[in-house]
């Protein structure tokens, strides 16, 4: 009879029923930075174009709203405009399926357009197509402001792993301050959107063209500009050159 082999001390396999330990703050931050889609260029800087998803990523963020505005302006038919916007968002989802690319951005886009279309269709007001964007924008402002308050500024989570700082920057008050300033820059961009767009929304249909236009101009392009400025402002000071012997 063959005796069962006894594992050597320390070699026992981990019990699958045993719960895995919760992720550390560093792992959470790394995962968030990855999900944010930021990319690093060969020279170690942030690659704004690739971070936006390139031409396709920019088009995914702009085209559904642009199609909605054009169709509604030409036909004055809210239902047709909403269907056209949803169709434009669906095209990008299908394109990503064909390309076998990650669906996260496209799915987020079509869900956002779907909620916006549902709200506008429910109220019968074309300008309500943009309300979900206001709510999302406000949510980001609150979340980023909270990140500053708890000393985990949003810019540090975005940029720390691109710069190979991990979360070590939190041990240095100067770096925390720099990332706090960078986060305020991004928050300012989001606040500026509301300051410009909400008054146009409150005008009702007469302000729709202006609202849609500013939404396009102040969408991904302005946000990426804010991220780029935040990146520059949070650049670490160069290490001092070693003294000659």
């Amino acid at each position: 009879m063959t005796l069962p082999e006894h594992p050597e001390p320390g070699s026992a396999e981990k019990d699958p029923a045993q719960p895995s330990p919760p992720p550390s703050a560093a792992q959470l931050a790394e995962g968030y930075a990855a999900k944010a889609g930021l990319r690093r260029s060969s020279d170690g800087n942030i690659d704004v174009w690739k971070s936006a998803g390139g031409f396709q990523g920019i088009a995914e963020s702009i085209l559904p709203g642009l199609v909605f505005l054009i169709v509604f302006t030409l036909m004055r038919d809210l239902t047709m405009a909403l269907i056209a916007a949803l169709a434009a968002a669906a095209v990008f989802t299908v394109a990503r399926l064909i390309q076998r690319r990650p669906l996260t951005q496209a799915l987020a886009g079509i869900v956002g357009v779907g909620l916006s279309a549902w709200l506008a269709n429910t109220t019968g007001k074309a300008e309500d197509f943009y309300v979900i964007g206001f709510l999302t924008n406000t949510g980001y402002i609150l979340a980023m402001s909270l990140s500053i308050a708890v000393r985990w500024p949003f810019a540090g989570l975005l940029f720390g792993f691109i710069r190979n700082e991990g979360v070590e920057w939190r041990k240095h008050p100067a770096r925390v301050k720099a990332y706090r300033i960078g986060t305020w820059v991004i928050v300012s961009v989001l606040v500026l959107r509301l300051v410009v767009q909400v008054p146009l929304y409150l005008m009702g249909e007469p302000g729709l063209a202006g609202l849609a236009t500013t939404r396009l101009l102040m969408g991904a392009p302005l946000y990426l500009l804010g991220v780029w400025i935040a990146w520059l402002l949070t650049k670490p000071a160069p290490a001092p050159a070693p003294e000659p012997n």
Side-chain angles (χ1 to χ4, degrees), residues 37 39 47-61 96 101 105 220 224:
R39 299 289 184 268
D47 191 321
V48 176
W49 180 251
K50 286 185 179 179
S51 298
F55 177 80
Q56 184 170 337
I58 294 290
E60 286 174 358
S61 66
R96 283 183 175 263
R101 297 177 60 185
Q105 184 173 352
L224 291 173

Side-chain angles (χ1 to χ4, degrees), residues 60-61 64 85-86 89-90 93 103-116:
E60 286 174 358
S61 66
L86 283 168
T93 303
L103 291 174
T104 306
Q105 184 173 352
L107 288 176
I110 196 169
V111 169
V113 173
L115 289 173
S116 299

Side-chain angles (χ1 to χ4, degrees), residues 39-47 162 228 231 235:
R39 299 289 184 268
R40 180 166 47 188
S41 60
S42 58
D43 60 1
N45 287 317
I46 186 172
D47 191 321
I162 293 181
W228 176 245
W231 171 267
K235 186 176 181 180

Side-chain angles (χ1 to χ4, degrees), residues 72 76 124-127 200-211:
F72 184 77
R76 312 307 296 181
K125 297 179 180 179
E127 62 270 21
L200 294 170
Y201 166 78
L202 295 176
M203 292 172 60
E205 193 170 314
L208 180 63
L211 172 59

